[in-house]
Amino acid sequence: MEKGSSNPPHVLIFPLPAQGHVNSMLKLAELLCLSGLYVTFVNSEHNHERLVRFTDLQVRFSKYQGFQFKTVPDGLPVEHQRTGNHFMELVKTMKMVTMPIFKEMVQGMTPPLNCIIGDGGLEFVLDAAIEIGIPVIHFRTVSSCSFWSYFCIPDMINAGELPMKGSQDMDRIVTTVPGMQTFLRCRDLPSFCRVDDMSDLDLQLFTNCTRQTLRARGLILNTFEELEGPILSQIRRRFSNVYSIGPLHEHLRKKLIEQKHQTHQSSNSLREVDRSCLSWLDKQPSKSVLYVSFGSQAVTTKEQFLEFWHGLVDSKKRFLWVMRADSIAKRDGEAENYPPELVEGTKERGLIVEWTPQEEVLAHEAVGGFLTHSGWNSTLESIVAGVPMICWPYFADQQINSRFVGEVWKLGLDMKDVCDRKVVEKMVNDLIEDNREEFVRSVAKMAELARNSVSEGGSSNHNLNCLIEDIRLMVGSITRTDESKIQYVPR
């Protein structure tokens, strides 16, 4: 595009094909559309089919001029689970199957692309864009603290802090991650660090992807300065143009209200949502229900599932539990016979459903706590809703998220590496009843900071404006009016 052109910049957004990544990057896409940019959103064929089937996605985005969806194959058969331990198979097949198709798509795009916002977990997107000559901004959908820990893995290895030396080493303090030297334990490191061999392919994949972000024009993070400011300052020592623009779900909600668009909650779910749970919540007392969800990827053993179930029922507290059909690892021929006291206890005080409209559930008056896998979207949604958490992380970034929730931000309890009915029972009672006021005060304060960050004059609002202005600069259509660093400095 020639300098001075009046056409809006054309941005392509490509998420890793997983629920949390697609959800947050769709919200970013809509924020850019609301700012007048043309956006092409690339989904895997598998995920796009599910989004069209279970959401109003196409109708919602049809109102934005210059918006389009494109799809690419992910290289896996339709019946592939794409969850739990099988997820890494998706990441690896995409590099082989998807990369050449994506590259051809980008070169033939009309109007021509001015910028690609690529998921930092898809290394080939950066490679293809640089080869073609299109500026790339990385979007990491994880927390700043987990991104920074990924980046520091080579330093931990060089210092001899990795590999870990067995179970007796799990509570050893790790001192080579700047900003976390006093509280980060081996057990809080990303799950793929729990290997004996530092040449482990998954460990190398995550580490290399993170280091590759140094080649991008900038880094987008779904967080806010008031939550992760100390870690963001560490990241900015190594990366230029760091845009902290979250919580994205609240940021989008505010923008829709400001521009008088529809304000009801819209789903980006890859699964069919059961809205009957909202009617059930309507009948429960205020702040009495523990919401339980381990996200879209976690898979538990049957033994772990039963420990959680016993703990929930024994706590005598009400609970709403998301139990996906694929969330329990089943042995061949294993019968689904459950203790009658658990079935009866659930009838009295609980409800188990396949999938929920999570943002609406967390915002419901009846919900008083969240037992979560500590996925980053779930953590931010809980913070904005003012709901304290019990954290049981499953993999990847979730281990470090739970440490920050429990130890640093004091927004809940960290239960990682423990799956015992007595511990579950005690923590549920601590969160919902015994120490409730303490947790509620902490999370209410952080919720207010989160909402302020996306309001006019707030840190995330400022950084989103900087991001949009810098994208416009890529086509030479404006002159930057604010020469300050891309970060918010309170007056």
mmCIF file of all heavy atoms in Angstrom, residues 145-190:
data_model
loop_
_atom_site.group_PDB
_atom_site.id
_atom_site.type_symbol
_atom_site.label_atom_id
_atom_site.label_comp_id
_atom_site.label_asym_id
_atom_site.label_seq_id
_atom_site.Cartn_x
_atom_site.Cartn_y
_atom_site.Cartn_z
ATOM 1 N N CYS A 145 3.893 -13.893 33.368
ATOM 2 C CA CYS A 145 4.808 -14.640 34.238
ATOM 3 C C CYS A 145 5.186 -15.979 33.616
ATOM 4 O O CYS A 145 6.345 -16.421 33.718
ATOM 5 C CB CYS A 145 4.228 -14.815 35.637
ATOM 6 S SG CYS A 145 2.592 -15.561 35.727
ATOM 7 N N SER A 146 4.253 -16.644 32.946
ATOM 8 C CA SER A 146 4.606 -17.916 32.320
ATOM 9 C C SER A 146 5.452 -17.685 31.070
ATOM 10 O O SER A 146 6.415 -18.428 30.824
ATOM 11 C CB SER A 146 3.355 -18.728 31.988
ATOM 12 O OG SER A 146 2.539 -18.051 31.069
ATOM 13 N N PHE A 147 5.123 -16.664 30.274
ATOM 14 C CA PHE A 147 5.947 -16.350 29.109
ATOM 15 C C PHE A 147 7.393 -16.075 29.527
ATOM 16 O O PHE A 147 8.335 -16.571 28.904
ATOM 17 C CB PHE A 147 5.386 -15.127 28.376
ATOM 18 C CG PHE A 147 6.273 -14.632 27.263
ATOM 19 C CD1 PHE A 147 6.237 -15.232 26.020
ATOM 20 C CD2 PHE A 147 7.153 -13.581 27.470
ATOM 21 C CE1 PHE A 147 7.068 -14.795 24.989
ATOM 22 C CE2 PHE A 147 7.986 -13.139 26.455
ATOM 23 C CZ PHE A 147 7.946 -13.746 25.205
ATOM 24 N N TRP A 148 7.564 -15.312 30.594
ATOM 25 C CA TRP A 148 8.904 -14.970 31.059
ATOM 26 C C TRP A 148 9.641 -16.205 31.567
ATOM 27 O O TRP A 148 10.848 -16.362 31.344
ATOM 28 C CB TRP A 148 8.803 -13.903 32.138
ATOM 29 C CG TRP A 148 10.105 -13.367 32.653
ATOM 30 C CD1 TRP A 148 10.506 -13.272 33.953
ATOM 31 C CD2 TRP A 148 11.192 -12.802 31.884
ATOM 32 N NE1 TRP A 148 11.750 -12.696 34.057
ATOM 33 C CE2 TRP A 148 12.196 -12.398 32.790
ATOM 34 C CE3 TRP A 148 11.401 -12.611 30.523
ATOM 35 C CZ2 TRP A 148 13.394 -11.821 32.385
ATOM 36 C CZ3 TRP A 148 12.594 -12.037 30.104
ATOM 37 C CH2 TRP A 148 13.582 -11.645 31.032
ATOM 38 N N SER A 149 8.933 -17.101 32.222
ATOM 39 C CA SER A 149 9.581 -18.331 32.694
ATOM 40 C C SER A 149 9.992 -19.206 31.514
ATOM 41 O O SER A 149 11.059 -19.830 31.539
ATOM 42 C CB SER A 149 8.667 -19.108 33.648
ATOM 43 O OG SER A 149 7.547 -19.659 32.970
ATOM 44 N N TYR A 150 9.163 -19.261 30.449
ATOM 45 C CA TYR A 150 9.549 -19.992 29.240
ATOM 46 C C TYR A 150 10.854 -19.412 28.689
ATOM 47 O O TYR A 150 11.772 -20.153 28.318
ATOM 48 C CB TYR A 150 8.494 -19.842 28.140
ATOM 49 C CG TYR A 150 7.158 -20.494 28.339
ATOM 50 C CD1 TYR A 150 6.823 -21.166 29.509
ATOM 51 C CD2 TYR A 150 6.198 -20.430 27.339
ATOM 52 C CE1 TYR A 150 5.573 -21.748 29.663
ATOM 53 C CE2 TYR A 150 4.943 -21.010 27.478
ATOM 54 C CZ TYR A 150 4.634 -21.668 28.641
ATOM 55 O OH TYR A 150 3.413 -22.241 28.799
ATOM 56 N N PHE A 151 10.899 -18.095 28.618
ATOM 57 C CA PHE A 151 12.051 -17.417 28.022
ATOM 58 C C PHE A 151 13.339 -17.701 28.801
ATOM 59 O O PHE A 151 14.427 -17.765 28.223
ATOM 60 C CB PHE A 151 11.796 -15.908 27.974
ATOM 61 C CG PHE A 151 12.847 -15.134 27.232
ATOM 62 C CD1 PHE A 151 12.822 -15.035 25.858
ATOM 63 C CD2 PHE A 151 13.873 -14.505 27.918
ATOM 64 C CE1 PHE A 151 13.803 -14.335 25.161
ATOM 65 C CE2 PHE A 151 14.864 -13.803 27.245
ATOM 66 C CZ PHE A 151 14.826 -13.718 25.855
ATOM 67 N N CYS A 152 13.207 -17.866 30.110
ATOM 68 C CA CYS A 152 14.386 -18.046 30.976
ATOM 69 C C CYS A 152 14.835 -19.498 31.106
ATOM 70 O O CYS A 152 15.802 -19.776 31.826
ATOM 71 C CB CYS A 152 14.096 -17.470 32.366
ATOM 72 S SG CYS A 152 13.901 -15.663 32.382
ATOM 73 N N ILE A 153 14.184 -20.440 30.432
ATOM 74 C CA ILE A 153 14.564 -21.849 30.556
ATOM 75 C C ILE A 153 16.031 -22.090 30.194
ATOM 76 O O ILE A 153 16.746 -22.804 30.929
ATOM 77 C CB ILE A 153 13.622 -22.745 29.724
ATOM 78 C CG1 ILE A 153 12.263 -22.833 30.427
ATOM 79 C CG2 ILE A 153 14.202 -24.145 29.536
ATOM 80 C CD1 ILE A 153 11.183 -23.531 29.620
ATOM 81 N N PRO A 154 16.572 -21.519 29.104
ATOM 82 C CA PRO A 154 18.004 -21.737 28.826
ATOM 83 C C PRO A 154 18.901 -21.241 29.958
ATOM 84 O O PRO A 154 19.939 -21.861 30.248
ATOM 85 C CB PRO A 154 18.232 -20.927 27.542
ATOM 86 C CG PRO A 154 16.895 -20.893 26.868
ATOM 87 C CD PRO A 154 15.913 -20.784 27.993
ATOM 88 N N ASP A 155 18.513 -20.138 30.623
ATOM 89 C CA ASP A 155 19.301 -19.632 31.749
ATOM 90 C C ASP A 155 19.257 -20.602 32.925
ATOM 91 O O ASP A 155 20.263 -20.790 33.628
ATOM 92 C CB ASP A 155 18.779 -18.259 32.184
ATOM 93 C CG ASP A 155 18.833 -17.239 31.066
ATOM 94 O OD1 ASP A 155 19.771 -17.300 30.255
ATOM 95 O OD2 ASP A 155 17.930 -16.387 30.988
ATOM 96 N N MET A 156 18.094 -21.223 33.153
ATOM 97 C CA MET A 156 17.988 -22.210 34.231
ATOM 98 C C MET A 156 18.871 -23.419 33.946
ATOM 99 O O MET A 156 19.530 -23.960 34.840
ATOM 100 C CB MET A 156 16.530 -22.663 34.398
ATOM 101 C CG MET A 156 15.556 -21.587 34.824
ATOM 102 S SD MET A 156 13.891 -22.288 35.044
ATOM 103 C CE MET A 156 12.901 -21.155 34.092
ATOM 104 N N ILE A 157 18.905 -23.840 32.682
ATOM 105 C CA ILE A 157 19.731 -24.987 32.301
ATOM 106 C C ILE A 157 21.213 -24.643 32.467
ATOM 107 O O ILE A 157 21.995 -25.424 33.041
ATOM 108 C CB ILE A 157 19.423 -25.413 30.852
ATOM 109 C CG1 ILE A 157 17.982 -25.925 30.755
ATOM 110 C CG2 ILE A 157 20.406 -26.489 30.386
ATOM 111 C CD1 ILE A 157 17.509 -26.186 29.330
ATOM 112 N N ASN A 158 21.608 -23.470 31.996
ATOM 113 C CA ASN A 158 23.022 -23.054 32.090
ATOM 114 C C ASN A 158 23.485 -22.921 33.536
ATOM 115 O O ASN A 158 24.658 -23.171 33.859
ATOM 116 C CB ASN A 158 23.226 -21.726 31.362
ATOM 117 C CG ASN A 158 23.093 -21.867 29.858
ATOM 118 O OD1 ASN A 158 23.265 -22.962 29.312
ATOM 119 N ND2 ASN A 158 22.758 -20.785 29.175
ATOM 120 N N ALA A 159 22.540 -22.540 34.428
ATOM 121 C CA ALA A 159 22.887 -22.365 35.839
ATOM 122 C C ALA A 159 22.819 -23.672 36.619
ATOM 123 O O ALA A 159 23.109 -23.695 37.827
ATOM 124 C CB ALA A 159 21.949 -21.330 36.466
ATOM 125 N N GLY A 160 22.409 -24.751 35.959
ATOM 126 C CA GLY A 160 22.315 -26.040 36.632
ATOM 127 C C GLY A 160 21.055 -26.201 37.462
ATOM 128 O O GLY A 160 20.953 -27.147 38.257
ATOM 129 N N GLU A 161 20.072 -25.312 37.294
ATOM 130 C CA GLU A 161 18.816 -25.419 38.050
ATOM 131 C C GLU A 161 17.838 -26.379 37.380
ATOM 132 O O GLU A 161 16.850 -26.785 37.995
ATOM 133 C CB GLU A 161 18.201 -24.040 38.236
ATOM 134 C CG GLU A 161 19.078 -23.125 39.085
ATOM 135 C CD GLU A 161 18.307 -21.976 39.701
ATOM 136 O OE1 GLU A 161 17.701 -21.193 38.949
ATOM 137 O OE2 GLU A 161 18.320 -21.871 40.946
ATOM 138 N N LEU A 162 18.092 -26.711 36.152
ATOM 139 C CA LEU A 162 17.375 -27.754 35.432
ATOM 140 C C LEU A 162 18.432 -28.688 34.850
ATOM 141 O O LEU A 162 19.514 -28.231 34.463
ATOM 142 C CB LEU A 162 16.516 -27.158 34.308
ATOM 143 C CG LEU A 162 15.238 -26.415 34.711
ATOM 144 C CD1 LEU A 162 14.545 -25.853 33.475
ATOM 145 C CD2 LEU A 162 14.282 -27.330 35.465
ATOM 146 N N PRO A 163 18.170 -30.003 34.788
ATOM 147 C CA PRO A 163 16.914 -30.661 35.129
ATOM 148 C C PRO A 163 16.692 -30.788 36.642
ATOM 149 O O PRO A 163 17.630 -30.681 37.425
ATOM 150 C CB PRO A 163 17.068 -32.041 34.492
ATOM 151 C CG PRO A 163 18.544 -32.291 34.512
ATOM 152 C CD PRO A 163 19.178 -30.953 34.268
ATOM 153 N N MET A 164 15.417 -31.017 37.011
ATOM 154 C CA MET A 164 15.097 -31.277 38.408
ATOM 155 C C MET A 164 15.656 -32.641 38.809
ATOM 156 O O MET A 164 15.849 -33.512 37.968
ATOM 157 C CB MET A 164 13.583 -31.265 38.602
ATOM 158 C CG MET A 164 12.917 -29.972 38.190
ATOM 159 S SD MET A 164 11.111 -30.097 38.320
ATOM 160 C CE MET A 164 10.598 -28.701 37.323
ATOM 161 N N LYS A 165 15.866 -32.791 40.092
ATOM 162 C CA LYS A 165 16.494 -34.021 40.591
ATOM 163 C C LYS A 165 15.491 -34.864 41.382
ATOM 164 O O LYS A 165 15.697 -35.193 42.538
ATOM 165 C CB LYS A 165 17.702 -33.670 41.456
ATOM 166 C CG LYS A 165 18.762 -32.877 40.698
ATOM 167 C CD LYS A 165 19.867 -32.395 41.598
ATOM 168 C CE LYS A 165 20.922 -31.608 40.819
ATOM 169 N NZ LYS A 165 20.368 -30.363 40.260
ATOM 170 N N GLY A 166 14.366 -35.164 40.731
ATOM 171 C CA GLY A 166 13.389 -36.043 41.352
ATOM 172 C C GLY A 166 12.419 -35.318 42.259
ATOM 173 O O GLY A 166 12.457 -34.101 42.433
ATOM 174 N N SER A 167 11.536 -36.094 42.884
ATOM 175 C CA SER A 167 10.467 -35.528 43.702
ATOM 176 C C SER A 167 10.986 -34.749 44.903
ATOM 177 O O SER A 167 10.351 -33.812 45.374
ATOM 178 C CB SER A 167 9.526 -36.646 44.173
ATOM 179 O OG SER A 167 10.238 -37.613 44.926
ATOM 180 N N GLN A 168 12.169 -35.107 45.402
ATOM 181 C CA GLN A 168 12.724 -34.416 46.570
ATOM 182 C C GLN A 168 13.168 -33.003 46.220
ATOM 183 O O GLN A 168 13.470 -32.187 47.112
ATOM 184 C CB GLN A 168 13.914 -35.205 47.148
ATOM 185 C CG GLN A 168 15.199 -35.141 46.320
ATOM 186 C CD GLN A 168 15.230 -36.111 45.144
ATOM 187 O OE1 GLN A 168 14.240 -36.798 44.889
ATOM 188 N NE2 GLN A 168 16.349 -36.184 44.455
ATOM 189 N N ASP A 169 13.210 -32.684 44.929
ATOM 190 C CA ASP A 169 13.714 -31.387 44.460
ATOM 191 C C ASP A 169 12.591 -30.395 44.159
ATOM 192 O O ASP A 169 12.861 -29.236 43.844
ATOM 193 C CB ASP A 169 14.534 -31.619 43.180
ATOM 194 C CG ASP A 169 15.644 -30.588 42.998
ATOM 195 O OD1 ASP A 169 16.121 -30.061 44.012
ATOM 196 O OD2 ASP A 169 16.003 -30.322 41.845
ATOM 197 N N MET A 170 11.332 -30.823 44.275
ATOM 198 C CA MET A 170 10.221 -30.028 43.768
ATOM 199 C C MET A 170 10.023 -28.701 44.498
ATOM 200 O O MET A 170 9.525 -27.735 43.922
ATOM 201 C CB MET A 170 8.923 -30.842 43.819
ATOM 202 C CG MET A 170 8.942 -32.043 42.897
ATOM 203 S SD MET A 170 9.126 -31.586 41.154
ATOM 204 C CE MET A 170 7.459 -31.122 40.763
ATOM 205 N N ASP A 171 10.402 -28.634 45.772
ATOM 206 C CA ASP A 171 10.213 -27.384 46.525
ATOM 207 C C ASP A 171 11.469 -26.534 46.594
ATOM 208 O O ASP A 171 11.509 -25.531 47.316
ATOM 209 C CB ASP A 171 9.706 -27.700 47.940
ATOM 210 C CG ASP A 171 8.271 -28.214 47.922
ATOM 211 O OD1 ASP A 171 7.463 -27.649 47.169
ATOM 212 O OD2 ASP A 171 7.970 -29.185 48.633
ATOM 213 N N ARG A 172 12.480 -26.897 45.830
ATOM 214 C CA ARG A 172 13.677 -26.062 45.754
ATOM 215 C C ARG A 172 13.360 -24.752 45.039
ATOM 216 O O ARG A 172 12.663 -24.728 44.033
ATOM 217 C CB ARG A 172 14.784 -26.810 45.004
ATOM 218 C CG ARG A 172 16.007 -25.948 44.689
ATOM 219 C CD ARG A 172 17.166 -26.781 44.150
ATOM 220 N NE ARG A 172 16.807 -27.597 43.011
ATOM 221 C CZ ARG A 172 16.773 -27.151 41.739
ATOM 222 N NH1 ARG A 172 17.042 -25.885 41.474
ATOM 223 N NH2 ARG A 172 16.461 -27.979 40.759
ATOM 224 N N ILE A 173 13.870 -23.634 45.567
ATOM 225 C CA ILE A 173 13.648 -22.316 44.969
ATOM 226 C C ILE A 173 14.529 -22.153 43.735
ATOM 227 O O ILE A 173 15.722 -22.451 43.758
ATOM 228 C CB ILE A 173 13.942 -21.190 45.983
ATOM 229 C CG1 ILE A 173 12.954 -21.254 47.153
ATOM 230 C CG2 ILE A 173 13.874 -19.819 45.313
ATOM 231 C CD1 ILE A 173 11.524 -20.949 46.795
ATOM 232 N N VAL A 174 13.926 -21.680 42.656
ATOM 233 C CA VAL A 174 14.638 -21.392 41.411
ATOM 234 C C VAL A 174 15.042 -19.922 41.420
ATOM 235 O O VAL A 174 14.197 -19.040 41.606
ATOM 236 C CB VAL A 174 13.738 -21.692 40.190
ATOM 237 C CG1 VAL A 174 14.444 -21.326 38.884
ATOM 238 C CG2 VAL A 174 13.322 -23.163 40.183
ATOM 239 N N THR A 175 16.303 -19.635 41.208
ATOM 240 C CA THR A 175 16.803 -18.262 41.394
ATOM 241 C C THR A 175 17.178 -17.553 40.095
ATOM 242 O O THR A 175 17.624 -16.408 40.130
ATOM 243 C CB THR A 175 18.049 -18.278 42.305
ATOM 244 O OG1 THR A 175 19.082 -19.045 41.670
ATOM 245 C CG2 THR A 175 17.717 -18.879 43.664
ATOM 246 N N THR A 176 17.000 -18.209 38.947
ATOM 247 C CA THR A 176 17.481 -17.623 37.693
ATOM 248 C C THR A 176 16.361 -17.067 36.811
ATOM 249 O O THR A 176 16.556 -16.869 35.616
ATOM 250 C CB THR A 176 18.285 -18.658 36.893
ATOM 251 O OG1 THR A 176 17.578 -19.900 36.870
ATOM 252 C CG2 THR A 176 19.660 -18.861 37.483
ATOM 253 N N VAL A 177 15.190 -16.817 37.393
ATOM 254 C CA VAL A 177 14.118 -16.132 36.663
ATOM 255 C C VAL A 177 13.954 -14.761 37.309
ATOM 256 O O VAL A 177 13.353 -14.650 38.386
ATOM 257 C CB VAL A 177 12.795 -16.921 36.713
ATOM 258 C CG1 VAL A 177 11.723 -16.207 35.873
ATOM 259 C CG2 VAL A 177 12.993 -18.352 36.225
ATOM 260 N N PRO A 178 14.498 -13.701 36.707
ATOM 261 C CA PRO A 178 14.435 -12.363 37.317
ATOM 262 C C PRO A 178 13.009 -11.955 37.653
ATOM 263 O O PRO A 178 12.093 -12.115 36.858
ATOM 264 C CB PRO A 178 15.026 -11.460 36.228
ATOM 265 C CG PRO A 178 15.952 -12.356 35.468
ATOM 266 C CD PRO A 178 15.262 -13.697 35.448
ATOM 267 N N GLY A 179 12.851 -11.451 38.871
ATOM 268 C CA GLY A 179 11.537 -11.039 39.355
ATOM 269 C C GLY A 179 10.816 -12.104 40.143
ATOM 270 O O GLY A 179 9.779 -11.844 40.745
ATOM 271 N N MET A 180 11.348 -13.344 40.150
ATOM 272 C CA MET A 180 10.680 -14.445 40.846
ATOM 273 C C MET A 180 11.622 -15.201 41.784
ATOM 274 O O MET A 180 11.302 -16.293 42.245
ATOM 275 C CB MET A 180 10.094 -15.437 39.827
ATOM 276 C CG MET A 180 9.189 -14.832 38.787
ATOM 277 S SD MET A 180 8.484 -16.111 37.702
ATOM 278 C CE MET A 180 7.939 -15.124 36.314
ATOM 279 N N GLN A 181 12.775 -14.621 42.091
ATOM 280 C CA GLN A 181 13.837 -15.358 42.781
ATOM 281 C C GLN A 181 13.471 -15.808 44.189
ATOM 282 O O GLN A 181 14.097 -16.719 44.718
ATOM 283 C CB GLN A 181 15.108 -14.505 42.866
ATOM 284 C CG GLN A 181 15.673 -14.078 41.516
ATOM 285 C CD GLN A 181 15.224 -12.687 41.106
ATOM 286 O OE1 GLN A 181 14.082 -12.305 41.348
ATOM 287 N NE2 GLN A 181 16.129 -11.929 40.495
ATOM 288 N N THR A 182 12.465 -15.197 44.806
ATOM 289 C CA THR A 182 12.176 -15.496 46.210
ATOM 290 C C THR A 182 11.050 -16.502 46.420
ATOM 291 O O THR A 182 10.889 -17.008 47.532
ATOM 292 C CB THR A 182 11.818 -14.206 46.970
ATOM 293 O OG1 THR A 182 10.645 -13.625 46.385
ATOM 294 C CG2 THR A 182 12.971 -13.208 46.916
ATOM 295 N N PHE A 183 10.293 -16.803 45.365
ATOM 296 C CA PHE A 183 9.105 -17.635 45.601
ATOM 297 C C PHE A 183 8.858 -18.713 44.554
ATOM 298 O O PHE A 183 8.006 -19.572 44.737
ATOM 299 C CB PHE A 183 7.846 -16.756 45.687
ATOM 300 C CG PHE A 183 7.582 -15.943 44.445
ATOM 301 C CD1 PHE A 183 6.902 -16.476 43.364
ATOM 302 C CD2 PHE A 183 8.014 -14.627 44.360
ATOM 303 C CE1 PHE A 183 6.662 -15.737 42.225
ATOM 304 C CE2 PHE A 183 7.776 -13.867 43.228
ATOM 305 C CZ PHE A 183 7.102 -14.422 42.151
ATOM 306 N N LEU A 184 9.602 -18.703 43.444
ATOM 307 C CA LEU A 184 9.360 -19.679 42.388
ATOM 308 C C LEU A 184 10.063 -20.998 42.715
ATOM 309 O O LEU A 184 11.280 -21.047 42.878
ATOM 310 C CB LEU A 184 9.859 -19.143 41.046
ATOM 311 C CG LEU A 184 9.528 -20.002 39.819
ATOM 312 C CD1 LEU A 184 8.027 -20.002 39.565
ATOM 313 C CD2 LEU A 184 10.280 -19.509 38.592
ATOM 314 N N ARG A 185 9.277 -22.083 42.824
ATOM 315 C CA ARG A 185 9.811 -23.406 43.128
ATOM 316 C C ARG A 185 9.872 -24.252 41.862
ATOM 317 O O ARG A 185 9.209 -23.935 40.862
ATOM 318 C CB ARG A 185 8.922 -24.109 44.160
ATOM 319 C CG ARG A 185 8.694 -23.304 45.431
ATOM 320 C CD ARG A 185 7.520 -23.868 46.229
ATOM 321 N NE ARG A 185 6.279 -23.834 45.449
ATOM 322 C CZ ARG A 185 5.104 -24.299 45.892
ATOM 323 N NH1 ARG A 185 5.010 -24.831 47.104
ATOM 324 N NH2 ARG A 185 4.029 -24.216 45.116
ATOM 325 N N CYS A 186 10.606 -25.326 41.920
ATOM 326 C CA CYS A 186 10.656 -26.226 40.769
ATOM 327 C C CYS A 186 9.250 -26.687 40.377
ATOM 328 O O CYS A 186 8.934 -26.781 39.187
ATOM 329 C CB CYS A 186 11.527 -27.441 41.086
ATOM 330 S SG CYS A 186 13.299 -27.082 41.101
ATOM 331 N N ARG A 187 8.401 -26.972 41.352
ATOM 332 C CA ARG A 187 7.070 -27.464 41.045
ATOM 333 C C ARG A 187 6.189 -26.405 40.378
ATOM 334 O O ARG A 187 5.127 -26.723 39.832
ATOM 335 C CB ARG A 187 6.382 -28.033 42.283
ATOM 336 C CG ARG A 187 5.900 -27.051 43.297
ATOM 337 C CD ARG A 187 5.019 -27.729 44.361
ATOM 338 N NE ARG A 187 5.777 -28.649 45.202
ATOM 339 C CZ ARG A 187 5.664 -29.970 45.130
ATOM 340 N NH1 ARG A 187 4.832 -30.535 44.285
ATOM 341 N NH2 ARG A 187 6.383 -30.737 45.946
ATOM 342 N N ASP A 188 6.615 -25.140 40.428
ATOM 343 C CA ASP A 188 5.842 -24.068 39.812
ATOM 344 C C ASP A 188 6.252 -23.791 38.371
ATOM 345 O O ASP A 188 5.606 -22.981 37.686
ATOM 346 C CB ASP A 188 6.002 -22.766 40.618
ATOM 347 C CG ASP A 188 5.623 -22.936 42.074
ATOM 348 O OD1 ASP A 188 4.595 -23.584 42.338
ATOM 349 O OD2 ASP A 188 6.372 -22.443 42.947
ATOM 350 N N LEU A 189 7.320 -24.436 37.919
ATOM 351 C CA LEU A 189 7.765 -24.238 36.540
ATOM 352 C C LEU A 189 6.790 -24.894 35.558
ATOM 353 O O LEU A 189 6.038 -25.805 35.933
ATOM 354 C CB LEU A 189 9.159 -24.823 36.349
ATOM 355 C CG LEU A 189 10.295 -24.104 37.092
ATOM 356 C CD1 LEU A 189 11.591 -24.893 36.954
ATOM 357 C CD2 LEU A 189 10.471 -22.683 36.565
ATOM 358 N N PRO A 190 6.763 -24.436 34.307
ATOM 359 C CA PRO A 190 5.876 -25.055 33.310
ATOM 360 C C PRO A 190 6.031 -26.566 33.294
ATOM 361 O O PRO A 190 7.130 -27.097 33.492
ATOM 362 C CB PRO A 190 6.351 -24.423 31.994
ATOM 363 C CG PRO A 190 6.912 -23.101 32.400
ATOM 364 C CD PRO A 190 7.549 -23.326 33.745
#
